[in-house]
Amino acid sequence: MDVPYTGGCQCGQVRYEIRAEPLTIYACHCKECQRQSASAFGMSMPVPRDAVILIQGKPKQWRRTSDSGREVVCFFCGECGTRLFHQPTRNPVIANIKPGTLDTTTELRAVGHVWTRSSQPWIQFSDETLNFEGQPTPEEYLQLIEKFSCQNNADN
Ligand SMILES: [Zn+2]
Ligand SMILES: [Zn+2]
């Protein structure tokens, strides 16, 4: 993706710009992501936290405690409710962008799936992606980053 790239909420009040390449993109099939997205799975696109610049509006924050007991700060538009990004306290240098809010989504290719054990039964996983049954371990997380960077270098 060409840096910077932009996104925003459904009603347009909150707009952001990202000034760094994504570290990776993956889909999460945990129950929290299913409920949060009101859909089958959530997508995560981690970027360096200081590369996320709010250019319009001020998102509201909501905090939840993850299964591991760590807090996740969730940012969303107070007007239309679109979830924009998460800041996990577990990893204070990254923000997890909800990439469906990007203005251009044609280049979004998830390299992996996490929490496949709670995925909806009609979803089939390919051997082309990294598929993890639960929360990725630090080693598995690095594999997601590595695979994303290999895929992008191959495209260029
Ligand atoms: Zn909005
Ligand atoms: Zn999840």
Side-chain angles (χ1 to χ4, degrees):
M1 267 183 275
D2 289 333
V3 175
Y5 43 99
T6 52
C9 68
Q10 202 171 8
C11 79
Q13 285 200 10
V14 182
R15 300 277 308 152
Y16 65 79
E17 176 177 284
I18 300 173
R19 299 182 178 169
E21 290 282 343
L23 297 171
T24 186
I25 301 175
Y26 59 91
C28 180
H29 300 260
C30 80
K31 291 302 287 178
E32 291 287 344
C33 285
Q34 290 176 358
R35 190 181 295 275
Q36 184 273 309
S37 65
S39 187
F41 54 84
M43 282 178 76
S44 278
M45 187 183 85
V47 300
R49 195 173 288 187
D50 57 10
V52 183
I53 312 292
L54 286 164
I55 52 177
Q56 184 185 298
K58 191 177 183 327
K60 282 195 172 175
Q61 295 182 23
W62 174 67
R63 289 163 185 267
R64 77 171 178 87
T65 306
S66 68
D67 291 344
S68 62
R70 307 289 183 86
E71 240 188 7
V72 182
V73 188
C74 308
F75 292 79
F76 62 98
C77 172
E79 189 62 27
C80 70
T82 306
R83 193 67 66 85
L84 297 160
F85 54 90
H86 290 172
Q87 291 184 345
T89 55
R90 172 168 46 92
N91 193 343
V93 296
I94 64 138
N96 274 319
I97 303 293
K98 293 288 162 185
T101 61
L102 291 172
D103 294 332
T104 304
T105 53
T106 49
E107 290 178 66
L108 296 178
R109 260 167 289 165
V111 297
H113 295 270
V114 307
W115 283 100
T116 59
R117 81 162 78 100
S118 50
S119 67
Q120 296 211 352
W122 49 268
I123 295 181
Q124 304 205 332
F125 298 100
S126 143
D127 293 339
E128 311 269 295
T129 52
L130 292 165
N131 308 319
F132 301 122
E133 283 199 347
Q135 185 67 28
T137 63
E139 294 74 34
E140 290 168 342
Y141 193 76
L142 286 177
Q143 289 176 38
L144 289 165
I145 291 173
E146 178 96 338
K147 188 168 176 71
F148 188 79
S149 95
C150 291
Q151 173 190 279
N152 281 13
N153 290 337
D155 286 349
N156 288 339

